[in-house]
Amino acid sequence: MNLLQLSWKNLTSKPLAMLLSLVLFALGVGLIALLFLLNTQLQDKFEKNLAGIDMVLGAKGSPLQTILCSMYHIDSPTGNISIKDAKPFLRKGHPLIEAAIPLSLGDSYKTYRIVGTEPEMLELYEAKIEEGKVWEQVFEVVIGAALADREGLKLGDNFFGSHGFINDSELEHDDVEPFEVVGILEPNGSVIDQLILTNTQTVWAVHDHEGEAATSSDSTAHAHHAHETLKPLLEYEDKDITSVLVKFKARNFQTLNMPRSINENTDLQAANPAYEINRLYAMIGDGADALRVLAFVIIFVSGLSIFISLYSSLKERKYELALMRVMGASRGKLFLLILMEGLLLAVLGFVIGIIISHVGMELIAGVMQDAYRYAFSGTVFLKEEIYLLFGALGIGLVASIIPALKAFQTDISDTLSEA
């Protein structure tokens, strides 16, 4: 029987002690690995969706809410802003602004958000049409790859939107013309994968129809919107939009001061995405740090459990170790035997912990997919997990080194004479 088999036999001879050490170790490793997975994938989503946006204009309220709603589409708008107020920032040729993309929000399809915007939105997120074309008329839409895949939508399909961001058939706008899918985007890895994009006039048409229906038949209203001549957005000064995504030509003193100037001198709110996301990281980081400390405490306790288990077992096994010496085993072999037991526990705890973390991440991914339409995965493996393996082996080594030295110092004659 080789050392590995013998170490395993020794561990399984006390299954309860082995189980306690494994459970503690696996919980600690699993929690740390899960935090790595969550943190890495969240940061990847946040950074991917920054899309070079330097400022978001919206209604007065929480700047973080404005960012989460307009860029990440996981919150509600703070309100609407008039095109008249936003016109100075939307007009072409602004000396500081390279791109200004208007957004009109408020409706959804099975919780996938319908966004009234301009075709430049695709350029902002470097999105490309995989099938079909970009919207041109009212009620034509381009859908993201995630939506097309999950809901099975294809070119030419029609559907009705719902008021708000929840999936409620009673809120469905089935009294207006249905949306028609004219384009499907390539998978992009950003928030645009889960959006339904159309022109702003379509969003207005859906809500204006409620007023029109009181004075005209549905068929008259449908015909009106279907044949409406689309004017440039800036000509609709009496209309409202939700927000504007702004990308500066350069970052300098003027652009750095622009958000503060807008907040102080206009009815608009200017939010800085980088600042707000860093603030969100700080809030999330406090909770993550607390969990990480807890995980390290659990691992420390599990290491202590391994040490106590191995050390206490030496008293019961001292005659066994002495007999092994009589039968030709060297001091070094006894030393390696005890070390291997500690390392075996560490490796098994690590493997179980990693399995727990990835299964847990897959379960969380399902919940987050349903709630926020963001794609997370438990099948992603990180290089940090390799470092975690080395850490686990180090803890197993440290926990078993003193018991191993004790076994190394076993005196054959003294031990056998006590028998």
Side-chain angles (χ1 to χ4, degrees):
M1 186 178 292
N2 60 36
L3 276 180
L4 183 60
Q5 291 173 318
L6 190 56
S7 298
W8 179 249
K9 288 286 185 182
N10 289 334
L11 289 174
T12 54
S13 66
K14 288 193 170 183
L16 290 179
M18 176 183 172
L19 183 62
L20 175 63
S21 299
L22 279 180
V23 167
L24 288 172
F25 208 93
L27 283 176
V29 169
L31 187 53
I32 292 174
L34 181 60
L35 288 174
F36 279 142
L37 287 167
L38 271 173
N39 188 53
T40 300
Q41 294 189 48
L42 277 173
Q43 283 195 1
D44 180 64
K45 297 297 178 186
F46 278 128
E47 290 170 7
K48 181 77 174 177
N49 292 326
L50 282 174
I53 298 166
D54 297 301
M55 180 175 70
V56 179
L57 299 176
K60 295 289 188 183
S62 165
L64 179 58
Q65 183 179 347
T66 298
I67 296 298
L68 292 177
C69 172
S70 300
M71 292 179 59
Y72 299 98
H73 298 272
I74 54 176
D75 207 339
S76 300
T78 54
N80 287 329
I81 59 176
S82 71
I83 288 183
K84 184 177 181 180
D85 288 341
K87 191 172 183 178
F89 308 99
L90 288 170
R91 66 180 174 83
K92 303 293 183 183
H94 193 287
L96 300 177
I97 296 175
E98 178 182 330
I101 313 298
L103 302 181
S104 292
L105 306 169
D107 287 350
S108 63
Y109 168 68
K110 295 185 177 180
T111 72
Y112 289 93
R113 300 196 178 194
I114 298 170
V115 181
T117 186
E118 298 290 309
E120 287 78 15
M121 177 81 163
L122 301 179
E123 298 174 16
L124 190 65
Y125 285 91
E126 299 180 350
K128 296 179 180 179
I129 297 288
E130 184 174 53
E131 297 180 61
K133 62 175 185 176
V134 176
W135 65 91
E136 295 174 353
Q137 301 298 322
V138 178
F139 289 101
E140 291 183 345
V141 299
V142 170
I143 62 175
L147 167 58
D149 180 62
R150 185 151 185 176
E151 300 301 329
L153 291 175
K154 55 186 183 298
L155 293 181
D157 283 353
N158 295 294
F159 61 88
F160 292 102
S162 298
H163 183 68
F165 302 134
I166 60 174
N167 190 12
D168 188 342
S169 59
E170 293 185 4
L171 299 176
E172 192 174 87
H173 294 295
D174 55 3
D175 57 341
V176 298
E177 187 174 341
F179 296 106
E180 180 186 357
V181 179
V182 298
I184 299 174
L185 299 174
E186 292 180 359
N188 180 267
S190 69
V191 69
I192 209 164
D193 284 345
Q194 63 195 34
L195 298 181
I196 300 167
L197 305 176
T198 185
N199 47 49
T200 306
Q201 289 87 342
T202 296
V203 176
W204 293 335
V206 170
H207 295 93
D208 288 349
H209 174 73
E210 296 173 4
E212 289 184 17
T215 57
S216 63
S217 68
D218 284 353
S219 59
T220 303
H222 288 189
H224 170 71
H225 291 308
H227 297 93
E228 178 181 351
T229 300
L230 300 182
K231 299 182 293 184
L233 202 64
L234 295 182
E235 294 187 22
Y236 298 88
E237 289 194 1
D238 59 329
K239 296 287 189 180
D240 290 341
I241 56 176
T242 303
S243 57
V244 181
L245 306 180
V246 177
K247 187 175 183 179
F248 294 138
K249 290 181 178 178
R251 294 183 181 181
N252 50 40
F253 179 76
Q254 289 177 294
T255 57
L256 285 174
N257 284 316
M258 183 183 284
R260 185 178 65 181
S261 176
I262 291 170
N263 290 331
E264 291 176 354
N265 302 308
T266 74
D267 292 330
L268 305 177
Q269 175 179 258
N272 183 315
Y275 174 79
E276 296 302 328
I277 293 305
N278 284 335
R279 193 160 68 90
L280 181 62
Y281 280 157
M283 290 188 290
I284 295 174
D286 291 340
D289 288 343
L291 287 175
R292 196 173 289 112
V293 169
L294 175 62
F296 282 119
V297 168
I298 293 173
I299 288 181
F300 173 78
V301 171
S302 70
L304 190 61
S305 172
I306 292 172
F307 165 74
I308 293 171
S309 176
L310 294 177
Y311 194 83
S312 61
S313 71
L314 284 178
K315 292 183 179 179
E316 301 172 11
R317 295 165 56 193
K318 60 182 181 179
Y319 300 114
E320 173 193 331
L321 296 176
L323 287 173
M324 287 179 65
R325 287 292 315 280
V326 170
M327 296 173 67
S330 64
R331 290 176 180 270
K333 193 167 185 179
L334 297 185
F335 180 82
L336 288 175
L337 176 67
I338 304 302
L339 275 187
M340 194 165 289
E341 290 178 20
L343 293 175
L344 263 177
L345 283 172
V347 170
L348 285 172
F350 170 81
V351 171
I352 295 170
I354 291 297
I355 292 172
I356 289 172
S357 67
H358 284 267
V359 170
M361 186 67 213
E362 196 65 27
L363 294 175
I364 291 171
V367 173
M368 298 186 80
Q369 173 75 18
D370 292 336
Y372 303 112
R373 300 304 183 192
Y374 274 88
F376 292 85
S377 175
T379 60
V380 175
F381 290 86
L382 308 174
K383 66 178 185 297
E384 286 83 358
E385 292 175 77
I386 298 175
Y387 304 148
L388 196 56
L389 171 60
F390 288 126
L393 291 175
I395 291 171
L397 188 66
V398 170
S400 58
I401 193 74
I402 294 177
L405 286 172
K406 190 77 172 175
F408 180 83
Q409 295 167 355
T410 299
D411 186 279
I412 299 174
S413 57
D414 289 347
T415 302
L416 293 178
S417 65
E418 294 174 6

